[in-house]
Amino acid sequence: MAAALPVGAVIKTGYAAFSKAPFLFVGFTLIGGGINLASQYIQDQASKSIQDSAEFGIGWVFIFLLGLSINIVASLWMNLGLFRGAWRALNGEIPIIKDFVRWDFRAIRRLLWMAILLLVINLIVLITAALAGGLASLIRLELFFVPLFAGSLVLIYLAVTQMFHVPIVVAQGERAMQAFRHGRKVVDPQFWRLLGFGLLMILITFAGLLLCGIGILVAAPVVVCCLVAAYQHLFNSDDCTGFLVDVRQG
């Protein structure tokens, strides 16, 4: 079992990694966030036009799906770039722009499958909890909330045990189900400590959002650097087959 995660030291290390190239981290987050906002605007306009139109417009549906696709791909690309920059910085190097923007189809494909797997698992939990709550309410109305509460606990467990899915999938080149099992195996023994660590990451993100939204440009890469620092402590950081393949492709 990995040594207990030193939460304070990990956050300090993560921030130090961010400090090696703060303008690159913030600039890349701004680019990725800008693409996401633009694609979201496309989706909103297409959705509004579909609702306002008296006739079904296949063109607007296509535009909506195009915006959604751009949003998904940009999010995966941004996650991969921030991870790569964080990894370089934590290994004592100064990241360069190429580390952030380089396209890697295989890594993005693995991330996409992982995102689909997590989405399906979360949907199964939600649907099961809702159905169980509906059946329980037939016995007694108050029982409706018992399965929902249990389902929320399962969702929290999934969020904590899978918080390292990006570095596992990218660095170790594991497939979605392998990464899911690997995350659980390593995180389970330190679940409560990592729950606290995850809450701190949420607080950092929330603090960034409170600063007129601009602070998220700093908070997001800092959180990624902290997550990668925690990953390198908990997992075998020498096992970075997928990451090394990605580097050689460049």
Side-chain angles (χ1 to χ4, degrees), residues 71-147:
N71 190 285
I72 293 173
V73 172
S75 297
L76 296 173
W77 174 70
M78 184 167 67
N79 272 282
L80 179 59
L82 288 175
F83 164 79
R84 194 187 288 114
W87 189 280
R88 293 290 197 190
L90 286 164
N91 282 359
E93 305 172 45
I94 297 178
I96 59 176
I97 186 65
K98 184 179 178 181
D99 293 326
F100 291 89
V101 302
R102 182 159 22 91
W103 178 265
D104 177 21
F105 176 76
R106 286 190 289 184
I108 288 178
R109 182 182 60 188
R110 293 197 301 270
L111 282 176
L112 178 60
W113 280 116
M114 188 68 197
I116 292 173
L117 174 64
L118 293 177
L119 176 63
V120 169
I121 292 174
N122 279 273
L123 285 176
I124 290 174
V125 172
L126 287 171
I127 293 172
T128 302
L131 291 176
L135 292 174
S137 66
L138 297 177
I139 301 173
R140 188 179 179 89
L141 185 60
E142 293 81 358
L143 294 178
F144 173 77
F145 298 99
V146 175

Side-chain angles (χ1 to χ4, degrees), residues 58-80:
I58 189 66
W60 285 114
V61 174
F62 174 78
I63 292 174
F64 176 84
L65 293 176
L66 176 63
L68 178 62
S69 299
I70 294 173
N71 190 285
I72 293 173
V73 172
S75 297
L76 296 173
W77 174 70
M78 184 167 67
N79 272 282
L80 179 59

Side-chain angles (χ1 to χ4, degrees), residues 49-61:
S49 298
I50 292 172
Q51 294 175 1
D52 294 343
S53 178
E55 299 180 0
F56 181 77
I58 189 66
W60 285 114
V61 174

Side-chain angles (χ1 to χ4, degrees), residues 151-174:
S152 65
L153 293 180
V154 174
L155 292 177
I156 292 173
Y157 171 78
L158 289 171
V160 174
T161 57
Q162 299 307 310
M163 72 167 65
F164 300 108
H165 71 272
V166 173
I168 294 176
V169 169
V170 176
Q172 300 186 22
E174 294 189 0

Side-chain angles (χ1 to χ4, degrees), residues 221-245:
V222 167
V223 166
V224 172
C225 289
C226 292
L227 285 172
V228 177
Y231 164 83
Q232 291 185 344
H233 177 86
L234 293 171
F235 295 75
N236 180 10
S237 60
D238 293 330
D239 185 2
C240 51
T241 307
F243 182 68
L244 291 176
V245 169

Side-chain angles (χ1 to χ4, degrees), residues 9-26:
V10 163
I11 294 176
K12 184 178 180 180
T13 301
Y15 184 76
F18 166 80
S19 299
K20 288 182 180 294
F23 294 108
L24 278 178
F25 277 109
V26 171

